[in-house]
Amino acid sequence: MKKILIPLFAMAVVTSCGTAKISDGNASHPVSTKHNKAFNNAYKVINAEDLKKNLYVIAADDMEGRDTGSKGQKKAGEYMINYYKTLGISAPKALGSYYQKVPSEFMKKRGGGNLPDSENILAFIEGTEKPDEIVVVSAHYDHVGTKNGVVYNGADDDGSGTVAVMEIAKAFQQAKKAGKGPKRSILFLHVTGEEHGLFGSEYYSENPVFPLANTVVDLNIDMIGRDDPANRGKQYVYVIGSEMLSSQLKVINEAANKRTNNLELNYKYDDLNDPEQLYYRSDHYNFAKHNIPVAFFFDGIHEDYHKPGDDPEKIDYQLLEKRTQLIFTTAWDIANREERIVVDKK
């Protein structure tokens, strides 16, 4: 997550072996998916072991802290693309590549100094009934690099979000292979340059591969692998922004939570006037400022935030699994309901 505050542009369950319920149609009326074999099989493929396996690669020392445009970040990106290829998940046809170049000049004009060219990474599952409507699941895959010879691995920030997006993609692909792909298309968006200024998501929002008018929601994941001092040992996740633009999104997410792992949903930072200003500090904001509903999932500011101790052995993988399952279930609901969620707040 970006450390320095950005300008305020627009201030104005079950365990992994069970079954789950989600809502459909009206946001406040959940329906059972007990007999939805495709959903339940997809839900069950999200597991702590695979999250851990991928995170130990993404946050390894040889990724050199994944600074924007660095050799280590590009190496991490190659690993992610090979993962998607192995799953049979393609790049967007409209882009013709998994890479969306984010030019150095674009970042420089926005205070990015002399950062080199970098890339957003995009993977895509086309919807079966409403392919032109896009559900975005996003996370940044950059971190702060190496300082004085010490690697800042960024396992939680945002290796945890990166591997969660990868795992959610695997779950949707599982459903697709079973003949139950999502009605709406899903864009798995890994953005660069977040730590320096939300550059990758800003570039995407100004150069969208799919029209922003067709983008239904952004579910953004930035740090979901640990706990903060105020919530030590709790089964929780902070949710930010879910009712800023849509009266339905928070209802959908809460219903998904109650019918899955029933985490404590903490709304402490879900306030435009909160001193931490977290609504503006991660990549969802570059969707929200274009009037696209967002939900930002976050674990809080812990003692290793932006420090060299943010390592993969400190991740709570069981809690990471549960949070990932919640986000998947929320995405499933939004992707498969008959009507797209409303935008009825400003």
Side-chain angles (χ1 to χ4, degrees), residues 121-262:
I121 292 176
L122 288 69
F124 185 70
I125 295 177
E126 186 171 64
T128 59
E129 296 182 18
K130 304 172 186 289
D132 292 335
E133 295 184 15
I134 311 297
V135 173
V136 177
V137 183
S138 65
H140 72 91
Y141 73 109
D142 62 306
H143 192 51
V144 299
T146 301
K147 301 179 182 181
N148 300 317
V150 178
V151 178
Y152 286 59
N153 288 308
D156 194 27
D157 186 10
D158 187 28
S160 62
T162 299
V163 299
V165 173
M166 294 164 68
E167 199 78 351
I168 291 167
K170 181 181 70 173
F172 274 109
Q173 185 70 348
Q174 169 81 18
K176 179 181 177 181
K177 287 182 177 179
K180 299 293 182 180
K183 292 180 181 179
R184 292 179 175 82
S185 297
I186 315 289
L187 176 63
F188 305 99
L189 176 61
H190 300 273
V191 292
T192 187
E194 193 271 356
E195 298 289 5
H196 292 278
L198 313 186
F199 296 139
S201 56
E202 183 178 9
Y203 187 82
Y204 180 87
S205 73
E206 295 186 11
N207 301 273
V209 175
F210 303 98
L212 294 183
N214 294 352
T215 302
V216 175
V217 69
D218 174 42
L219 303 179
N220 185 50
I221 313 171
D222 193 350
M223 299 173 59
I224 60 165
R226 292 181 59 171
D227 56 15
D228 65 6
N231 294 279
R232 196 108 296 159
K234 293 182 180 180
Q235 300 290 293
Y236 77 100
V237 67
Y238 291 106
V239 185
I240 301 167
S242 62
E243 62 179 352
M244 296 294 188
L245 294 169
S246 173
S247 62
Q248 292 181 333
L249 180 53
K250 183 175 182 178
V251 175
I252 292 167
N253 186 59
E254 289 188 340
N257 183 56
K258 288 179 180 178
R259 288 157 181 83
T260 54
N261 290 304
N262 200 27

Side-chain angles (χ1 to χ4, degrees), residues 6 49 68 89 114 149 152 165 168 211 226 290 294 312 326 346:
I6 64 173
E49 288 186 6
T68 300
I89 300 175
N114 294 315
Y152 286 59
V165 173
I168 291 167
R226 292 181 59 171
H290 290 283
V294 301
L326 166 61
K346 299 291 184 182

Side-chain angles (χ1 to χ4, degrees), residues 265-297:
L265 303 183
N266 191 316
Y267 297 105
K268 174 183 177 180
Y269 298 115
D270 192 28
D271 182 350
L272 296 179
N273 296 314
D274 182 81
E276 293 289 342
Q277 295 287 288
L278 291 176
Y279 181 64
Y280 303 94
R281 288 175 57 183
S282 192
D283 295 295
H284 58 280
Y285 182 65
N286 280 318
F287 289 89
K289 72 183 186 182
H290 290 283
N291 220 34
I292 296 167
V294 301
F296 167 28
F297 299 89

Side-chain angles (χ1 to χ4, degrees), residues 70-111:
S70 68
K71 180 180 177 181
Q73 190 204 32
K74 293 178 186 299
K75 185 176 181 179
E78 290 170 1
Y79 176 82
M80 293 151 56
I81 289 172
N82 287 332
Y83 173 90
Y84 286 120
K85 287 180 177 178
T86 299
L87 290 176
I89 300 175
S90 63
K93 291 180 181 178
L95 185 60
S97 170
Y98 291 96
Y99 291 115
Q100 181 189 42
K101 181 179 176 181
V102 180
S104 173
E105 190 62 25
F106 177 88
M107 294 184 280
K108 185 176 182 179
K109 288 180 179 179
R110 288 155 178 80

